[in-house]
Amino acid sequence: MTVSIVIPLYNEEDNVDILHQRLRETLDRLGLEYEILYVDDGSSDRTLAILEEIQAKDKRIVVLSLRRNFGQTAAFAAGFDFARGDVVVTMDGDLQNDPKDIPKLLELIKDNDLVSGWRRKRKDAFFTRRLPSILANWMISRVTGVKLHDYGCSLKAYRRDVIKNLKLYGEMHRFIPAVASWYGVRMAEVETTHYPRVRGKSKYGLSRTIKVLLDLITVKFLQSFSTKPLQFFGPIGLLSGALGFLVSLYLSIEKIFFGKPIGGRPLLLLGALLIIVGIQLIGMGLLGEMLVRVYHESQRKPIYVIKKVIGP
Ligand code: UDP
Ligand code: MG
């Protein structure tokens, strides 16, 4: 088994050296082949310079320097693209995760495709970080049907093929387990140690909760309806159209058979609105269907994933 460690770093000049030291201690003791990919996410401090110094002394280190600050998800994605190991381990570069937990993850990855850390005793502020995270985890579990306690924990291990199949967008890295579950992966969870941030500043606050929420909607939609958008928009469109039709029919009967004026009735507006919304939604579903075909066929992307083929 060869292992790639991927670590995104954004202005972590005070953490890099200690991080590298601790990582080396753990990894060297494991006695397996490894590489460490440090992704400098456009830091404006000395992070990159320190990384270059470290790299010069050790050929097992790869430093990827992004042109500007693209965000943690993009930094992970860059690391994944360059990783060569059979197993890829991700973690934060601010010493909040403990490299000593890596062996636990590697042990479990032998029988799984994805192992997620669980910061059971998380050392972050309660109201701005832990509480939103508890709610988010509960919601992500409910919506995606993937049961994990801690999606946001960066310390995770993946088998190579899990991440090589993946395209990451937005703040999507926490949804890798949910997206990967579509491929049919075996997942495990393990409790990991968590430390408060001692040096440097956290890059996130409460505003991230909203981004996570919006990403969740995207993930859910892609997970359930990405190959059949009309199935999603269609029923709502049909319902709206049918209601609109009934309302209009009722009004027409009133007008034609009973000669009542209907021009000023609010119901007329509602009926027309429901019909238009219905047509729009079905149109949107059909457009979606076309997009799905363009998407899959232009990329020659099949709508299934094969684990292996047995036979000649
Ligand atoms: N990070 C990054 N790019 C960013 C923001 C953060 O590469 O735009 C890195 C950061 O250096 C750290 C990890 O992602 O290694 C987690 O960030 P942070 O500690 O700020 O998040 P928190 O632990 O507060 O959720
Ligand atoms: Mg942190």
Side-chain angles (χ1 to χ4, degrees):
M1 181 160 85
T2 58
V3 180
S4 300
I5 316 280
V6 173
I7 304 179
L9 297 151
Y10 179 50
N11 292 347
E12 303 286 0
E13 59 183 358
D14 295 326
N15 291 316
V16 186
D17 270 322
I18 312 170
L19 171 76
H20 185 63
Q21 220 173 303
R22 291 194 192 159
L23 258 176
R24 286 270 324 253
E25 265 170 41
T26 304
L27 292 172
D28 286 340
R29 211 175 298 148
L30 279 175
L32 39 76
E33 221 177 290
Y34 71 85
E35 62 174 355
I36 306 174
L37 294 110
Y38 289 115
V39 187
D40 172 50
D41 186 14
S43 299
S44 51
D45 64 358
R46 291 198 63 249
T47 301
L48 181 61
I50 301 170
L51 287 175
E52 279 172 359
E53 276 168 34
I54 293 174
Q55 201 282 330
K57 286 182 234 143
D58 190 340
K59 291 299 154 219
R60 285 174 300 188
I61 312 300
V62 179
V63 177
L64 303 174
S65 157
L66 304 188
R67 275 198 176 268
R68 64 166 174 86
N69 178 239
F70 283 90
Q72 203 181 346
T73 298
F76 276 133
F80 291 165
D81 286 341
F82 282 81
R84 287 165 294 181
D86 308 322
V87 171
V88 176
V89 175
T90 56
M91 63 182 273
D92 280 346
D94 57 357
L95 301 173
Q96 289 198 264
N97 296 133
D98 193 338
K100 287 203 187 72
D101 287 321
I102 293 177
K104 275 198 267 184
L105 275 86
L106 293 180
E107 195 48 43
L108 278 167
I109 201 80
K110 288 178 186 159
D111 304 311
N112 289 284
D113 301 304
L114 191 164
V115 180
S116 175
W118 172 17
R119 298 166 291 180
R120 188 161 199 176
K121 302 197 182 76
R122 184 169 167 183
K123 302 290 191 317
D124 279 321
F126 182 75
F127 276 108
T128 51
R129 306 303 303 275
R130 265 156 54 208
L131 184 64
S133 146
I134 291 168
L135 297 175
N137 284 316
W138 176 78
M139 217 150 83
I140 298 172
S141 287
R142 286 293 303 262
V143 172
T144 63
V146 177
K147 299 275 175 288
L148 286 181
H149 288 96
D150 194 0
Y151 291 87
C153 181
S154 291
L155 187 54
K156 290 191 166 68
Y158 311 89
R159 260 171 208 279
R160 178 189 180 78
D161 50 320
V162 172
I163 46 147
K164 292 287 176 182
N165 267 322
L166 225 61
K167 288 266 171 285
L168 297 178
Y169 297 97
E171 288 284 315
M172 225 59 134
H173 66 267
R174 72 187 54 244
F175 292 109
I176 296 177
V179 176
S181 78
W182 184 79
Y183 294 99
V185 299
R186 294 163 299 171
M187 257 180 242
E189 197 173 43
V190 61
E191 278 182 40
T192 54
T193 325
H194 194 245
Y195 300 100
R197 194 188 247 279
V198 182
R199 296 173 203 83
K201 277 202 286 283
S202 170
K203 278 81 196 174
Y204 300 105
L206 207 52
S207 69
R208 185 156 68 168
T209 315
I210 295 159
K211 294 184 189 160
V212 168
L213 216 64
L214 292 173
D215 276 344
L216 178 62
I217 297 176
T218 311
V219 166
K220 177 62 189 170
F221 178 75
L222 291 178
Q223 195 183 27
S224 312
F225 299 107
S226 68
T227 57
K228 42 184 184 197
L230 189 58
Q231 309 284 348
F232 178 77
F233 292 110
I236 319 171
L238 282 179
L239 187 72
S240 169
L243 278 177
F245 176 76
L246 288 179
V247 167
S248 308
L249 188 71
Y250 165 73
L251 287 174
S252 303
I253 292 171
E254 293 244 295
K255 166 95 182 154
I256 295 165
F257 294 104
F258 302 100
K260 290 188 190 160
I262 56 168
R265 295 182 64 175
L267 207 54
L268 183 66
L269 206 64
L270 181 69
L273 199 73
L274 284 172
I275 292 178
I276 294 171
V277 166
I279 295 171
Q280 293 273 346
L281 281 173
I282 292 175
M284 234 151 88
L286 288 170
L287 272 177
E289 292 283 335
M290 277 166 68
L291 276 180
V292 167
R293 282 160 183 71
V294 170
Y295 174 71
H296 282 275
E297 284 160 32
S298 66
Q299 297 190 43
R300 301 184 188 289
K301 212 174 145 87
I303 58 165
Y304 53 82
V305 183
I306 285 185
K307 192 170 180 189
K308 62 181 168 189
V309 179
I310 302 150

